[in-house]
Amino acid sequence: MELRDFLRHVNSGLPVPGGSEIHTFMTALAHEAMRITCELNGTYHEPEEIRVLFSRLIGKPVDDGFGLFPPFYTDCGKNITLGKNVFINSGCRFQDQGGVRIGDGALIGHNAVLATLNHGFAPQDRSTTYPAPIVIGNHVWLGANVTVIGGVTIGDNAIVAAGAVVTKDVPANVIVGGVPAERIRSLVDE
């Protein structure tokens, strides 16, 4: 299997049955991601070295404005797309098989979790995973310890308060918080 075939499959939202060829490929990607994140997290790197390692992890270049404070963890890496001037703080975990797209100027707080896979609910279906993308708009700020689940889009300029669990789409220009996250207020005059 080729990476493009894997990405076409998961980006179409098709299930990944446990033990299948695509599952085996996904596991191989996880091992590659572990090797790169161990290198990234294992010692101090200058910002340019971090950009080089992160570009290798995601399989595409990041812009000169990209910033990351390690450690960073992912069990795939190849389905992350970043805009310009994105900053990811330390301790973040991206489960990106379903796709993580982050817009320009986004700020991702400490220990954020972006989880794009879910398991089947029936016991006989538990080893099957179901991918769904996470889309984070331009200039979004995710506070510390935020969790975002697959299938969620967060609109431009939105703020997600620390500790929130985002289970549904967030409109642009609002603040949300809580478990599950709910609208707190607008950032613009209504």
Side-chain angles (χ1 to χ4, degrees):
M1 173 166 283
E2 299 287 328
L3 178 61
R4 71 178 181 277
D5 299 324
F6 170 78
L7 292 174
R8 184 174 26 253
H9 184 96
V10 293
N11 290 337
S12 297
L14 298 172
V16 178
S20 66
E21 177 186 8
I22 195 155
H23 182 263
T24 300
F25 187 82
M26 189 167 74
T27 301
L29 287 176
H31 286 279
E32 178 185 349
M34 285 187 276
R35 283 190 296 277
I36 297 169
T37 56
C38 280
E39 185 177 350
L40 176 67
N41 299 333
T43 189
Y44 174 77
H45 298 284
E46 294 290 334
E48 178 55 33
E49 294 172 299
I50 290 172
R51 285 190 288 276
V52 167
L53 286 166
F54 205 85
S55 293
R56 201 168 96 216
L57 177 65
I58 68 172
K60 54 188 98 96
V62 297
D63 78 294
D64 290 342
F66 172 73
L68 169 74
F69 288 172
F72 175 84
Y73 304 95
T74 182
D75 53 0
C76 182
K78 299 301 188 238
N79 211 0
I80 297 171
T81 302
L82 302 175
K84 296 180 186 308
N85 300 310
V86 169
F87 176 71
I88 301 171
N89 219 324
S90 64
C92 291
R93 289 162 168 76
F94 290 11
Q95 180 195 51
D96 62 283
Q97 291 88 339
V100 169
R101 291 190 303 277
I102 300 175
D104 295 344
L107 304 173
I108 312 298
H110 288 91
N111 301 315
V113 174
L114 307 182
T116 67
L117 289 181
N118 206 348
H119 290 271
F121 292 166
Q124 67 275 14
D125 193 32
R126 287 280 155 75
S127 67
T128 297
T129 54
Y130 296 86
I134 293 172
V135 178
I136 297 172
N138 295 324
H139 308 288
V140 167
W141 174 20
L142 301 184
N145 298 303
V146 163
T147 298
V148 182
I149 66 162
V152 167
T153 296
I154 300 175
D156 291 347
N157 308 313
I159 297 172
V160 180
V165 177
V166 184
T167 61
K168 61 186 178 186
D169 289 353
V170 174
N173 301 304
V174 301
I175 300 173
V176 299
V179 179
E182 296 292 338
R183 181 185 169 127
I184 296 172
R185 71 176 182 87
S186 177
L187 290 166
V188 295
D189 294 331
E190 294 183 17

